[in-house]
Amino acid sequence: MVSVRTVVDRVGPTLLQAVHVPPGCPAVSDVVIAEPGSAANLAAGDLVLAVAVADVAGAIELIRDSAEHDAAAVLVKPPLAGKPAIRRAAKRAEIGLIEVHAATSWAQLVWLLRTVLDAIADESDTLENGDDAGTSDLFRLADAVASVVDAPVTIEDTNSRVLAYSARQDVTDPARVATIMGRRIPDDVLARFRSRGVFRELTRGRQTIFVPGQRDGTLPRLIVPIRMGGELLGSMWAVVPGPVPDERAAAFADTAPVVALHLLRRRAHADVQRRASAELLRALLRGEVSPRKAVAELDLTDEPHRVVVVETPGGDTLDGEGLRLALLERISQGIGRRPVAAEEAGLLYAVVPDGEGPGTWPEIRSALAETPAGKDSGELRAAAGGARDLTDLSRSRAEAEETLGLLRAGVLAGRVVCFDDVWTALALHRAATASSGARVTELGPLGTVRAYDAANGTEYVATLYEWLRHPGDPRTAATALRIHPNTLRYRMRKLLELVPLDLDDPDVRLALLAQLTALHWA
């Protein structure tokens, strides 16, 4: 059984948004285009595409007809999807209402939805065989596209990584060979194409882009952007001997929607696996799942791991999610494998092995520290918990969150810290927190000093704190306060005139220091 929400999740928020999905919504069985004025072609479980609906009254009538035939959901485009009357009609009829992105082609959506339904029907085979089946399909598709344009082709994502390539790559040039070998366009070649404005043209909606040959021997390229619903999913690059006839270039461009469906299907499968892994990791960090299950399904090694929590700008928003995904991709480059990670409450949680080697905490720490602050990473903060067995990762998570809290408060310096390295700050903070709960600072004459500071703008509390922290060393205490030692001595005399304190008594000094530590660190 395939639920409406499952289909919407597979297609993704770029193309579909669930406006209303009732709890008892029928399982999805097929995709149909609503015929104007006729509901005879509707059946139970249908996803009904409101292709011919032009007004609110027509949409409400289609919703009622679809509900009478037990259809699963009606799909409409803006602005109809946002009309309150249409939303109320869907709720009364207890039928799903899905908003389709305005720029999405209805024809492409039909193909995509049926592809997704077929993929879900074959889910067990797909999960059993991993990603190999989808990858081989993409390579076969590259061969088919190459026969259309009569040239060797690569299919690449938006980051210029090669997803698949056709046969006949031996008749290309060194730049293409390096691209195939490295599974990505080399940086120097990328820079040359970028200087020619190729990637700028890819974002402008052109159907084909022709790049003439270059002096270094790089052969001409015919490039076709791959889009779906206005979103750029990637591109196809054909190595050609020269300008391509218009009809052949058009045929090459016509293959893009088919490739887009495969890329979306590939992304849907990857998203399902990513969501399942993320949910399993969250359960592991909460201590709600067997470590043996996590080791098997998350491909974790049976050794001590650290939980690393990363905070980026944007918080729990789509922009924030994009920044965290981009950051995860960036820090994974060159360290072997991508760490097991999940998002929760606007933070990124990663579980990394302790010790040395690719993908371990030292590697991740270096990658995070080298991530520049700026537009993409902003005020990035990251904290790692202690190295714990997989059975005790919830403790490492708590330690990482506690350390991140001190980073946020400005108590700790830097952007990337480890629980093990800041034990003094953690000990003082915990002691101060416990003391505050016991209302330690309300005892004795300290309250009088605090009130005097508040009323007169003096700094006797801070002066006493530094004097006690540096016993017998007034110069160091004065340096911490950024005052002259004589000023420190003057303040201490005035303080002792204000309140009776026997600072020669070690217990008095210790009690005052405990109170002042609570004020400073809590």
Side-chain angles (χ1 to χ4, degrees), residues 253-514:
D254 286 344
T255 64
V258 179
V259 179
L261 293 175
H262 280 259
L263 294 187
L264 283 173
R265 180 177 179 178
R266 177 190 178 98
R267 186 169 70 179
H269 289 157
D271 284 347
V272 168
Q273 293 179 339
R274 179 177 60 82
R275 284 195 295 271
S277 295
E279 186 53 44
L280 179 59
L281 178 58
R282 285 189 284 267
L284 178 64
L285 294 180
R286 293 191 295 263
E288 298 173 353
V289 69
S290 162
R292 181 178 298 178
K293 176 181 175 69
V295 167
E297 297 192 22
L298 296 177
D299 197 23
L300 295 174
T301 53
D302 191 7
E303 61 180 309
H305 283 68
R306 294 181 187 269
V307 175
V308 182
V309 57
V310 183
E311 180 183 55
T312 60
D316 197 9
T317 64
L318 287 177
D319 287 343
E321 181 183 10
L323 285 173
R324 287 186 291 277
L325 292 176
L327 174 67
L328 184 60
E329 188 73 23
R330 186 185 302 124
I331 65 175
S332 301
Q333 293 178 359
I335 63 169
R337 65 178 220 161
R338 182 170 174 159
V340 178
E343 291 188 74
E344 187 167 13
L347 298 172
L348 179 68
Y349 290 82
V351 175
V352 298
D354 195 39
E356 303 294 334
T360 58
W361 164 237
E363 293 274 359
I364 296 293
R365 182 175 192 166
S366 297
L368 286 167
E370 292 168 3
T371 300
K375 181 179 179 182
D376 290 337
S377 56
E379 293 303 317
L380 176 146
R381 300 186 186 95
R388 308 294 175 198
D389 292 335
L390 294 178
T391 56
D392 206 16
L393 280 184
S394 57
R395 179 181 174 188
S396 184
R397 171 186 178 166
E399 293 167 345
E401 290 174 340
E402 181 182 10
T403 308
L404 179 64
L406 295 185
L407 264 180
R408 285 170 167 168
V411 173
L412 301 177
R415 296 192 304 159
V416 183
V417 295
C418 182
F419 177 82
D420 301 342
D421 300 334
V422 293
W423 69 269
T424 54
L426 288 162
L428 290 169
H429 179 257
R430 291 185 183 183
T433 302
S435 298
S436 297
R439 303 172 72 174
V440 169
T441 58
E442 298 178 13
L443 303 173
L446 184 61
T448 302
V449 181
R450 294 176 67 190
Y452 188 88
D453 275 353
N456 297 278
T458 52
E459 296 182 6
Y460 290 156
V461 170
T463 302
L464 182 59
Y465 178 59
E466 294 300 337
W467 189 86
L468 290 168
R469 285 185 69 226
H470 304 283
D473 191 359
R475 289 189 177 276
T476 303
T479 300
L481 292 165
R482 298 181 179 180
I483 60 176
H484 193 275
N486 288 340
T487 305
L488 174 71
R489 295 185 182 97
Y490 172 79
R491 287 185 183 178
M492 289 301 298
R493 285 197 304 270
K494 299 298 290 184
L495 173 63
L496 294 177
E497 293 174 4
L498 177 65
V499 292
L501 291 172
D502 183 6
L503 294 180
D504 292 329
D505 186 333
D507 287 340
V508 171
R509 294 197 303 270
L510 192 60
L512 283 170
L513 188 57

Side-chain angles (χ1 to χ4, degrees), residues 57-416:
I60 293 175
E61 181 181 358
L62 177 61
I63 287 171
R64 291 170 179 167
D65 290 341
S66 300
E68 288 178 2
H69 289 79
D70 290 328
V74 176
L75 284 70
V76 296
K77 286 189 175 184
L80 294 178
K83 299 294 184 181
I86 294 178
R87 297 190 176 198
R88 288 195 297 269
K91 289 181 180 179
R92 285 196 299 267
E94 295 186 349
I95 187 172
L97 180 64
I98 310 300
E99 180 176 343
V100 180
H101 191 281
T104 305
S105 160
W106 285 114
Q108 290 181 355
L109 184 60
V110 172
W111 299 334
L112 175 60
L113 288 170
R114 286 178 176 160
T115 299
V116 167
L117 291 176
D118 289 342
I120 296 173
D122 297 335
E123 186 78 354
S124 58
D125 293 337
T126 302
L127 292 176
E128 181 178 345
N129 296 327
D131 215 22
D132 294 343
T135 301
S136 61
D137 284 347
L138 203 56
F139 274 83
R140 285 195 293 269
L141 187 57
D143 284 332
V145 172
S147 66
V148 170
V149 72
D150 193 23
V153 168
T154 57
I155 299 174
E156 302 174 12
D157 66 12
T158 52
N159 294 315
S160 299
R161 287 187 296 245
V162 177
L163 303 177
Y165 53 88
S166 69
R168 298 170 54 196
Q169 300 295 336
D170 55 323
V171 298
T172 57
D173 53 30
R176 170 57 63 84
V177 173
T179 298
I180 298 296
M181 293 295 292
R183 300 305 297 268
R184 187 180 186 275
I185 298 179
D187 290 340
D188 58 333
V189 179
L190 202 62
R192 290 199 295 272
F193 284 126
R194 186 174 285 114
S195 67
R196 288 175 169 263
V198 171
F199 297 98
R200 185 168 57 251
E201 293 296 324
L202 276 174
T203 63
R204 288 182 174 176
R206 293 183 55 181
Q207 283 195 315
T208 58
I209 302 163
F210 178 73
V211 182
Q214 302 177 39
R215 292 181 180 179
D216 63 355
T218 301
L219 295 174
R221 300 292 199 268
L222 183 64
I223 308 166
V224 169
I226 304 170
R227 291 189 180 84
M228 178 67 78
E231 178 186 3
L232 183 67
L233 303 176
S235 54
M236 297 183 291
W237 296 59
V239 177
V240 294
V244 178
D246 290 344
E247 60 274 11
R248 189 173 292 276
F252 184 28
D254 286 344
T255 64
V258 179
V259 179
L261 293 175
H262 280 259
L263 294 187
L264 283 173
R265 180 177 179 178
R266 177 190 178 98
R267 186 169 70 179
H269 289 157
D271 284 347
V272 168
Q273 293 179 339
R274 179 177 60 82
R275 284 195 295 271
S277 295
E279 186 53 44
L280 179 59
L281 178 58
R282 285 189 284 267
L284 178 64
L285 294 180
R286 293 191 295 263
E288 298 173 353
V289 69
S290 162
R292 181 178 298 178
K293 176 181 175 69
V295 167
E297 297 192 22
L298 296 177
D299 197 23
L300 295 174
T301 53
D302 191 7
E303 61 180 309
H305 283 68
R306 294 181 187 269
V307 175
V308 182
V309 57
V310 183
E311 180 183 55
T312 60
D316 197 9
T317 64
L318 287 177
D319 287 343
E321 181 183 10
L323 285 173
R324 287 186 291 277
L325 292 176
L327 174 67
L328 184 60
E329 188 73 23
R330 186 185 302 124
I331 65 175
S332 301
Q333 293 178 359
I335 63 169
R337 65 178 220 161
R338 182 170 174 159
V340 178
E343 291 188 74
E344 187 167 13
L347 298 172
L348 179 68
Y349 290 82
V351 175
V352 298
D354 195 39
E356 303 294 334
T360 58
W361 164 237
E363 293 274 359
I364 296 293
R365 182 175 192 166
S366 297
L368 286 167
E370 292 168 3
T371 300
K375 181 179 179 182
D376 290 337
S377 56
E379 293 303 317
L380 176 146
R381 300 186 186 95
R388 308 294 175 198
D389 292 335
L390 294 178
T391 56
D392 206 16
L393 280 184
S394 57
R395 179 181 174 188
S396 184
R397 171 186 178 166
E399 293 167 345
E401 290 174 340
E402 181 182 10
T403 308
L404 179 64
L406 295 185
L407 264 180
R408 285 170 167 168
V411 173
L412 301 177
R415 296 192 304 159
V416 183

